[in-house]
Amino acid sequence: MPQHLVWFRSDLRTLDNPALFAASQQGQVTGLFLLTPEQWRVHGISDYKIAFMLRSIDVASQHLAKLGIETQIVLGSDFGDAPSQVLEAAKSINATKVFWNDEVAIDEQRRDTRVTSALADAGIAVERHQGFTSLPPGSVRKPDGSPYSVFTPFKKRWFAHCIDRGVHCLPRPEPQGSPVAGAATPAVVDGVSKSFGEDRWPSGEANALTTLQEFAAEKIRDYESERDLPNLQGTSQLSPHLAAGTISANQCLEAAYQHNDHRLFGGNPGADTWISELVWREFYNHILAEHPRLATGHAFKKETDALPWNLSKEQLQRWQQGETGFPFVDAGMRQLNSTGWMHNRLRMVTAQFLAKHLFLDWRLGESYFMARLVDGDFAANNGGWQWSASTGTDAVPYFRIFNPIRQAERFDPNGDFVRRMIPELAGADKKQVLEPWKYGGVDGYPAPMIDLSTARDQTLAVWKLARS
Ligand SMILES: Cc1cc2nc3c(=O)[nH]c(=O)nc-3n(C[C@H](O)[C@H](O)[C@H](O)COP(=O)(O)OP(=O)(O)OC[C@H]3O[C@@H](n4cnc5c(N)ncnc54)[C@H](O)[C@@H]3O)c2cc1C
């Protein structure tokens, strides 16, 4: 029977894993995981995410071991090592083919090209699959073959393709023999302990499935009304799993579809809206695949690269530390700093505050998020930042600037979330928690770092000048 190597990357699961499934249909499988801590640092990946991935690799290795699939976990440094390490692993089992699921970002694509050629030189074939998004990047295009850059028509076409294809997931491969011993990642990699964040972020495929099933059964119906209220747990918190691939976009879609009377849209408003959010994830991944320059620090709207962005370190630091003096913004930043995750509403509010009110270069915020988020995902993070900064595809117009006080009034009307995140404001009443400076201030909590309306006017003036 032919021997095949499956190289796992951002697909740390055994269910609905196209590369693993295809390999298991064609021969005897061995799994490979490469740890590339130097590359993770170059990509600015957070300790939360690194630890989450390490734990998830351990779980995946255990699941594979139960199926009789041996795994190799290889500690390298950066993507430069990948060609020799994958080749060595393939040779060690006399593999005829190496299978993997593609990743869209530019460094990953370049790595894969080099690995493919190293394997080809040794007479070993590569079989590539797609498993990070529901529909492969490049498959959802306008009738004239050009890529979409606006979300709503993309979504319509995405639905049409999805209906044609159907909503279904691949099963776990059949066991290929008796259980074997699973491999494990080192306890510490590049100074990051794999237990970091373990209590807050249970990792691995089984936890991802439980989270999805509970969300679909109990919360998806209320998603539309609760998803914007950060003090409730109204969203799925599946983002770390989707980013590491411990669950697939298809599995999420299938669960939502089943709880939506087998509809992709036009069913329950909560499930409809959740599916639409999954399509935003697809959209940003497809955009990144169509425009690789986005991974090189460039704005989607090229002309906005010339805007005279503010680079003040002092202002950036106050924003990072949640010390801006605007409670809703600070609550979001403190949630990020203390948990590795931030509610979507707050991501938009804090990002707009940075890019609009402070007019700081959005790339500074983008990299800070990446360095803290457990769910850091280049396409979604870059897309979210460029949307907020009005530099991106289908972005919020430059003149639309969220007012953090009005946002707090709408989405945290009693100030409960702010009080939970900012201990200095725990005793503030409903009015004071919104605008502490208007009610004598609060000991230990800073005064606002800017005047909102002056900052807004200045930003609009710069944008207008640049556009003229
Ligand atoms: C400035 C900014 C930065 C962001 N950075 C990231 C990031 O690094 N990683 C990331 O996964 N998401 C990012 N998002 C999108 C979104 O905030 C998170 O996906 C969401 O908060 C995760 O929580 P959840 O799993 O409970 O989401 P749910 O509301 O339950 O949504 C389900 C899934 O849909 C996807 N999704 C939801 N909203 C979006 C969106 N707007 N764009 C793309 N995908 C979405 C996510 O995979 C999410 O897990 C960012 C948004 C903004 C505005």
Side-chain angles (χ1 to χ4, degrees):
M1 191 184 249
Q3 296 293 325
H4 296 315
L5 186 71
V6 176
W7 178 17
F8 291 83
R9 300 98 69 88
S10 45
D11 54 350
L12 306 177
R13 61 179 184 274
T14 55
L15 276 168
D16 196 39
N17 186 323
L20 173 65
F21 186 77
S24 72
Q25 297 283 295
Q26 297 176 37
Q28 186 84 7
V29 174
T30 298
L32 170 69
F33 301 88
L34 291 189
L35 311 181
T36 51
E38 276 179 37
Q39 195 69 46
W40 297 337
R41 295 295 172 203
V42 170
H43 287 169
I45 294 176
S46 75
D47 289 359
Y48 271 115
K49 184 170 177 184
I50 292 173
F52 187 89
M53 289 192 299
L54 294 174
R55 295 195 299 275
S56 298
I57 290 172
D58 288 353
V59 175
S61 176
Q62 293 301 329
H63 284 198
L64 291 166
K66 281 189 194 148
L67 299 171
I69 298 175
E70 294 196 352
T71 51
Q72 300 183 16
I73 298 177
V74 179
L75 179 60
S77 59
D78 60 20
F79 286 169
D81 295 339
S84 59
Q85 288 172 332
V86 177
L87 182 60
E88 197 178 317
K91 281 183 170 170
S92 75
I93 58 156
N94 285 324
T96 37
K97 236 192 234 183
V98 178
F99 291 70
W100 65 66
N101 293 308
D102 276 346
E103 296 182 302
V104 289
I106 197 163
D107 288 343
E108 285 75 1
Q109 296 261 335
R110 286 177 180 152
R111 172 202 61 194
D112 289 355
T113 305
R114 288 194 295 268
V115 172
T116 304
S117 102
L119 291 169
D121 290 347
I124 302 171
V126 167
E127 191 173 308
R128 295 164 52 182
H129 291 263
Q130 305 280 343
F132 195 68
T133 46
S134 264
L135 295 179
S139 66
V140 183
R141 290 212 171 119
K142 294 180 193 169
D144 68 4
S146 61
Y148 285 101
S149 55
V150 178
F151 176 68
T152 306
F154 171 87
K155 183 166 94 168
K156 275 192 190 153
R157 191 131 191 108
W158 188 92
F159 278 145
H161 280 303
C162 220
I163 289 165
D164 283 350
R165 184 205 60 171
V167 179
H168 46 76
C169 295
L170 292 167
R172 187 171 277 138
E174 292 294 319
Q176 62 179 28
S178 313
V180 294
T185 56
V188 178
V189 175
D190 198 31
V192 181
S193 159
K194 72 177 166 192
S195 61
F196 179 62
E198 194 170 19
D199 295 345
R200 180 71 181 77
W201 299 111
S203 45
E205 184 168 18
N207 280 310
L209 264 181
T210 309
T211 306
L212 174 61
Q213 281 158 359
E214 286 176 2
F215 176 75
E218 294 161 22
K219 293 193 170 158
I220 203 169
R221 299 191 82 78
D222 297 324
Y223 180 74
E224 215 227 344
S225 53
E226 298 195 345
R227 73 189 178 119
D228 271 320
L229 306 174
N231 202 41
L232 303 179
Q233 208 192 308
T235 68
S236 68
Q237 303 215 345
L238 276 164
S239 50
H241 290 290
L242 279 159
T246 44
I247 203 148
S248 73
N250 265 335
Q251 286 173 282
C252 292
L253 189 66
E254 188 182 51
Y257 183 72
Q258 282 168 357
H259 285 81
N260 203 23
D261 299 328
H262 293 90
R263 287 160 175 264
L264 288 172
F265 53 87
N268 167 264
D272 278 3
T273 310
W274 198 64
I275 290 172
S276 187
E277 293 306 314
L278 293 174
V279 186
W280 272 104
R281 178 179 179 275
E282 300 273 310
F283 179 60
Y284 285 139
N285 272 283
H286 286 226
I287 288 284
L288 178 60
E290 302 281 8
H291 305 278
R293 69 187 167 82
L294 293 177
T296 60
H298 290 291
F300 185 85
K301 288 184 187 149
K302 289 181 184 152
E303 66 280 12
T304 64
D305 278 337
L307 283 166
W309 296 105
N310 171 10
L311 298 170
S312 161
K313 282 198 178 122
E314 192 257 327
Q315 289 198 333
L316 177 65
Q317 225 172 36
R318 285 191 67 167
W319 175 84
Q320 288 172 337
Q321 289 165 358
E323 297 279 346
T324 68
F326 293 94
F328 205 44
V329 173
D330 293 342
M333 295 309 295
R334 294 191 196 194
Q335 183 180 39
L336 174 65
N337 291 335
S338 61
T339 68
W341 186 85
M342 196 197 293
H343 189 280
N344 181 59
R345 175 56 47 185
L346 273 311
R347 293 191 206 207
M348 294 192 286
V349 169
T350 55
Q352 281 223 3
F353 186 80
L354 178 131
K356 297 282 175 73
H357 284 105
L358 300 179
F359 199 62
L360 282 164
D361 191 329
W362 57 271
R363 283 158 279 234
L364 298 170
E366 180 196 19
S367 57
Y368 187 74
F369 266 30
M370 205 60 177
R372 290 287 179 284
L373 283 171
V374 65
D375 63 18
D377 169 71
F378 185 84
N381 195 38
N382 183 268
W385 271 96
Q386 295 221 44
W387 181 90
S388 306
S390 302
T391 63
T393 169
D394 205 7
V396 66
Y398 77 94
F399 49 81
R400 193 165 160 230
I401 302 184
F402 284 4
N403 178 315
I405 301 164
R406 302 289 88 81
Q407 289 283 312
E409 279 171 349
R410 284 182 65 193
F411 300 113
D412 187 31
N414 297 317
D416 295 330
F417 179 72
V418 166
R419 280 190 211 90
R420 193 149 62 82
M421 289 298 145
I422 307 181
E424 303 94 291
L425 298 179
D429 68 22
K430 199 172 157 179
K431 284 184 173 170
Q432 203 179 24
V433 82
L434 211 59
E435 298 170 286
W437 63 94
K438 281 199 179 161
Y439 301 90
V442 170
D443 265 357
Y445 185 70
M449 65 186 283
I450 49 163
D451 175 69
L452 280 183
S453 78
T454 311
R456 185 177 185 281
D457 291 348
Q458 283 169 348
T459 295
L460 289 179
V462 177
W463 267 96
K464 277 184 194 149
L465 193 66
R467 285 165 64 83
S468 66

